[in-house]
Every structure is written in C-alpha cells, then in structure tokens.
Amino acid sequence: MAPIPPGIRFLVSFNRDQWYRALTFCLTFLLYTSFHLSRKPISIVKSELHKNCSYASELATASISNGQQPSLTSLHTDMDCSWKPFDTNNYKQLLGTMDYSFLCAYAVGMYLSGIIGERLPIRLYLTVGMLASGLFTCMFGLGYIYNIHSLGFYIFVQVANGLVQTTGWPSVVTCIGNWFGKGRRGLIMGLWNSHTSVGNILGSLIAGYWVSSNWGLSFIVPGIIIAAMGIICFLFLIEHPNDLKGIHAQSSYPSNHVPAKNWNGVNGHTEVYLQYNESYDTELLLPRDSVCVPVQQVVIVKSESEPSAISFMGALRIPGVIEFSLCLLFAKLVSYTFLFWLPLYITKTAHLDAKKAGDLSTLFDVGGIVGGILAGVISDKLGKRATTCAIMLLLAAPTLYGFSMISEFGLRPTIVMLLVCGGLVNGPYALITTAVSADLGTHKSLKGNARALSTVTAIIDGTGSVGAALGPLLAGLLSARGWDQVFYMLMTADFLALLLLLRLVFKELTSSKSHPISAVQLKEH
C-alpha cells in the first residue's frame, strides 16, 4: 500500500467544523473586499473629472508640432478638459460634496442597518445589499457612457449607494463573531480585516487601468464584481454554526439509526440502546459487526422564547461602547480622508498622472494591512485593546506631520511615509471595528444574548461613519487654502481620538485582572 501524500494527510487533519470555519473566514473576507473595491474608484477618478487643463493643452500642442495627428481623445481633452459640472473653480467643493453625500447616507443608514440586520436572515439581507450596491456603482459609470453632466444624478447615485452599502459591515462582523470565539480574536480579526486594504488596493488598480481611457469602466467593473459576490453570498454563506445542525442530523440520522431496542439494565432499569449497522461513518470507530451502543435518556427543555434583539439604548449602556464609538469617529475621519483624497493629493504635489498616483496610493493600504495585524496581535498579547489603540494614535499624529513635509522631497521618502502612516492610521481603526466591536457585542453584561452583536457593530461603525463623512468634506473645503490645513485637521482628529480613550486606558492599566486575551478560555457563541 502506497503511503498517503503529506498534502492529503494535512487536509484530513482538520475536522468538519474547522473547514466550515475556514470557509466562513475566506468568504466574508472576499465579500467585504468587494465592498471596498467598489468604493475606491471615486478617489481615482477625481483627478480625471477635473484635469490640469494647461498640461493637457501642452500635450496636444506638442503632438501637433511633431507632425502627429491628435487623436479624438486628445481633441476632446483639449476642448473639454474636465468633466462637467466639475470643470469650475470650486471643483474641490463639488467633489467633496459627492463624498459627503455617500458617507452621510452611509452613517445614517448604519444605525438602522444593525437593528434591521438583527431581525432578518443575514444571508438574504447581505445578498440584497450587494446586488443593489452593484447596480448603483454601475450607474455612476454609466454617466460617462451616456454623457450625463447633472450633479444631481451623481449625488443621487452616491446617496443610494451609501445606504445599501450599510448592509455589509454589521452582517460580516456578526458572521465572523458567530464562528470565532474570543481566544485569539485580535489576531484573527486583524488578519481578516485586511480585506479593507486589499479591497482598496484592488479598487485602485482596477479603476486606474481604465481611468485615462474610459473612466466609466472604473465603476462598472467593480459594480459587476460586487454583484457577482452577492450571488456567491446567497449560495454559500453560513450565518451561525447552529445552522448546520439540521443538515447533519438529516444526513446521518436515517442511515445509521434503526428502531431502538430495550435491554434489561442494572437494578432492573430499562436502558435504551441504538443499533448501528456497518457504514462508512462508523467503521473506523466501531467493530465490524453490528453493535448496540447505550444511550442515556435525556430530557430536552426548550426555552419559552429566544433572546430578543437588543434595543439601541440597551446597546449604548454596554460599558465601552460610547468611548470606542466616539474614538472611531475621529480615527475614521483620518482614514477616509486618505481613502478619498490621497490620489488627488499625490497628483497635485508629485505631478503624477491619475494612474500612477492611484498605484502609489495603494502603499497606504499595504501599511494598513500590517498595522491592523500588529494591533490585533499586540492587543491579544497584552489584553488591553484601548491601550493598544492609544499608543498607535499617539504615534500617528506626528507621523502625519512628517508625511506632509517629506512628501515634497521625492518619491522614496513618500513611499516610506505612506507605509508608516497607513499602519498607524488604520491600526486603531481596524482594531475598533473588528475585535473591539465583537468583544463588546458579546459582553458579559449581555448574559449570553448573542443577538446584540450586529447592533453594537452598527452603532460603533455608524458613529465612525459620521467622521468618515466629515473628513472628506472638510478636506475639500480646507484644501482650497492649502494642503497643510488638511494635515492640521487630521492631526487634531488623532489627538481627539486619543483623549476619548484615556479613561479606558487608565482603567486597563490600573486593573489587576488584565490578562492576555489568548490565555483566557471563553466559550464561543
């Protein structure tokens, strides 16, 4: 008999629950990657909506002077450099308004989304949201194909897309929280939360591929991707481990079970035995002949009613929810300002085209992946979530100032500072929206009621989304006075986020019961 290949030996070493857990981890990772992939194109296309017209004219003039016939694209660029209505002097305010319309709708919808998500099947809720998001993302791109120049159209699409995208975060966090306990939640969710940066990177690359030739496809392709992932969600997403019990009971019970036999037991009591016939499921555990396995009589007591979904005010009373929510408001303000304005900032300061600026901006998200994982590992090791966030916020503020200075001294210093800033800015943001939200959603004060996770997640991320809406809007207003004003705003926001965590940090540092979370054995729910 040939030896079993090591790869097969490795695969069969995992049990069924571990495979389902891996499936949920990978699937929810890809689902939310597609959400961020569909949000990123607007930041890449901004520099195309309002171009440097003098630079475009110089290119057209140079091509004519060299005896080359200008293409239709270059003639269109020369005559109509920017895309109306973003061809005016207040284009930054108009672009900021588009960001604000999306993020404001997202913030308002997030508070409702968690409450609705607790009361509906997550798989169906998430599927509908992803299909609708794909539709509205494609609609923005169709504005280019059908030559639509109405500001109202683009704002409507942004508002609608912001509302339907709120179905994503509470749903995927609830699923991942249902499948993974608190033992190594920081590390697991730090790895899992890298979907944010992976989505941003893929969105930048996809949008950048078409931004100069046909920016409509920069939206249509991501829209198709998120809609396709919505269909995959409908087919494969398992909300909770308990959902599998009915499937396994139906598949195993009829084949192995035959009518029970009564045998005289000890002291005259009747014991119940189940007779198992030889089958694939039992041949490795039982003898070759049919056997009778004693089964204890169990009385199943069904609770009168399932735990009710927690109210909005009830979720606010969970210790730490308010502090972390307000902290995330300012942390997400900084992160989303980079998300929506970094490519345009690089274009204006480094004088790069839209594609190169979009590619370079992905380094911020690469740093964000590392920062999110480090924040999770450190917080697991120390058992102090708030302290970990506070340290990274303290380091982020001066780093932002350094980035605003060093970015003017060449490409290499800019690359280094993008990586460092990405890690320090996205580290606290990633930790609060994942591990901290899941911890608070399963807080001991809830007495085992697992139906609070979606609502708590929505409250924290919804409050953070208020900052996400304000950041790009303020950036659009302040950038007219100079980019240094934008960075002063970002540094102020980081310090405010740090101040809001000081009470929790003091509580963690003075508590004698703080232990590494990895050493605490907590039952999964």
Side-chain angles (χ1 to χ4, degrees):
M1 181 181 294
I4 299 176
I8 300 300
R9 191 183 299 274
F10 173 77
L11 293 176
V12 300
S13 66
F14 298 98
N15 60 38
R16 182 177 57 200
D17 289 340
Q18 289 173 324
W19 279 113
Y20 279 124
R21 189 170 296 178
L23 171 65
T24 303
F25 182 95
C26 296
L27 182 57
T28 53
F29 181 95
L30 293 175
L31 292 179
Y32 211 72
T33 295
S34 66
F35 272 94
H36 266 267
L37 183 149
S38 66
R39 295 178 195 172
K40 187 64 178 179
I42 185 63
S43 65
I44 305 298
V45 174
K46 277 179 181 176
S47 56
E48 191 72 16
L49 295 177
H50 186 91
K51 293 183 179 180
N52 185 339
C53 295
S54 61
Y55 177 68
S57 298
E58 290 175 2
L59 289 178
T61 303
S63 62
I64 294 174
S65 63
N66 292 333
Q68 300 176 357
Q69 290 295 328
S71 63
L72 292 176
T73 303
S74 62
L75 285 174
H76 174 76
T77 300
D78 186 32
M79 293 183 294
D80 189 11
C81 175
S82 301
W83 186 266
K84 295 179 181 180
F86 307 103
D87 57 344
T88 58
N89 292 331
N90 65 335
Y91 72 96
K92 290 182 180 179
Q93 287 81 358
L94 296 179
L95 294 174
T97 301
M98 280 209 308
D99 295 339
Y100 181 74
S101 61
F102 173 88
L103 294 169
C104 187
Y106 185 86
V108 174
M110 184 61 71
Y111 288 108
L112 300 175
S113 180
I115 298 174
I116 297 172
E118 295 283 7
R119 292 159 174 81
L120 293 176
I122 291 176
R123 180 173 61 91
L124 299 180
Y125 185 56
L126 186 56
T127 299
V128 173
M130 297 183 75
L131 292 175
S133 181
L135 171 64
F136 291 118
T137 303
C138 290
M139 282 181 64
F140 199 107
L142 292 175
Y144 176 86
I145 295 177
Y146 290 101
N147 205 27
I148 299 174
H149 297 279
S150 171
L151 180 64
F153 169 80
Y154 294 108
I155 290 180
F156 165 76
V157 172
Q158 288 288 83
V159 170
N161 202 9
L163 288 174
V164 297
Q165 287 231 346
T166 60
T167 60
W169 189 243
S171 300
V172 294
V173 172
T174 299
C175 286
I176 204 75
N178 288 338
W179 280 93
F180 293 91
K182 296 184 180 180
R184 300 174 66 187
R185 181 171 279 170
L187 172 60
I188 292 171
M189 288 202 162
L191 291 168
W192 178 75
N193 193 65
S194 62
H195 55 53
T196 299
S197 298
V198 172
N200 292 338
I201 292 171
L202 291 177
S204 298
L205 296 177
I206 292 173
Y209 184 82
W210 284 288
V211 64
S212 299
S213 58
N214 182 351
W215 62 258
L217 291 176
S218 298
F219 290 92
I220 293 174
V221 173
I224 294 174
I225 291 174
I226 189 174
M229 291 304 300
I231 297 174
I232 294 175
C233 169
F234 176 78
L235 295 175
F236 296 104
L237 182 65
I238 306 171
E239 301 174 17
H240 197 284
N242 292 338
D243 297 340
L244 295 171
K245 291 182 179 179
I247 298 176
H248 298 318
Q250 293 174 5
S251 61
S252 60
Y253 182 82
S255 60
N256 293 336
H257 180 262
V258 295
K261 294 183 178 181
N262 291 337
W263 298 77
N264 291 328
V266 182
N267 298 328
H269 293 287
T270 300
E271 296 184 358
V272 180
Y273 287 76
L274 295 178
Q275 185 176 18
Y276 281 80
N277 294 323
E278 181 181 345
S279 68
Y280 179 79
D281 294 331
T282 59
E283 64 182 358
L284 298 179
L285 301 176
L286 302 176
R288 302 291 294 182
D289 300 328
S290 94
V291 297
C292 294
V293 183
V295 178
Q296 294 182 350
Q297 297 187 24
V298 180
V299 178
I300 301 176
V301 180
K302 186 177 180 180
S303 60
E304 296 181 359
S305 61
E306 295 183 358
S308 59
I310 193 171
S311 65
F312 183 85
M313 296 305 299
L316 286 178
R317 285 193 289 268
I318 299 174
V321 168
I322 294 178
E323 289 93 337
F324 277 113
S325 297
L326 294 176
C327 172
L328 185 63
L329 186 150
F330 293 103
K332 204 167 181 178
L333 182 152
V334 178
S335 181
Y336 267 65
T337 301
F338 273 93
L339 174 67
F340 281 88
W341 285 92
L342 182 58
L344 183 62
Y345 171 76
I346 295 175
T347 299
K348 300 301 181 183
T349 57
H351 305 291
L352 299 176
D353 60 28
K355 185 180 186 307
K356 291 181 180 178
D359 293 343
L360 187 61
S361 68
T362 60
L363 294 175
F364 180 84
D365 295 297
V366 173
I369 295 175
V370 178
I373 296 173
L374 284 178
V377 172
I378 294 171
S379 66
D380 275 350
K381 190 70 175 177
L382 300 178
K384 299 177 175 64
R385 307 282 199 210
T387 304
T388 303
C389 291
I391 293 174
M392 299 188 81
L393 289 170
L394 183 63
L395 296 174
T399 305
L400 290 172
Y401 179 77
F403 175 71
S404 66
M405 298 291 104
I406 293 179
S407 59
E408 300 177 0
F409 292 96
L411 189 60
R412 290 186 179 179
T414 301
I415 291 174
V416 174
M417 293 305 295
L418 278 173
L419 293 170
V420 176
C421 284
L424 295 176
V425 167
N426 284 340
Y429 163 45
L431 186 62
I432 293 173
T433 54
T434 54
V436 170
S437 296
D439 289 347
L440 295 176
T442 56
H443 195 268
K444 60 182 180 181
S445 64
L446 297 171
K447 299 179 180 179
N449 183 2
R451 297 190 65 186
L453 183 54
S454 181
T455 300
V456 171
T457 301
I459 289 174
I460 293 176
D461 198 51
T463 305
S465 297
V466 174
L470 291 175
L473 177 65
L474 293 175
L477 298 174
L478 295 175
S479 60
R481 305 179 186 177
W483 288 105
D484 56 334
Q485 300 295 319
V486 177
F487 282 96
Y488 291 146
M489 175 198 69
L490 298 179
M491 288 184 283
T492 302
D494 260 329
F495 278 121
L496 291 174
L498 174 61
L499 290 175
L500 288 165
L501 286 183
L502 288 181
R503 189 187 72 84
L504 295 178
V505 171
F506 180 78
K507 183 179 179 181
E508 286 182 349
L509 295 178
T510 56
S511 175
S512 60
K513 296 182 180 180
S514 291
H515 301 286
I517 295 177
S518 59
V520 180
Q521 299 297 326
L522 295 170
K523 184 174 74 172
E524 299 178 9
H525 66 284

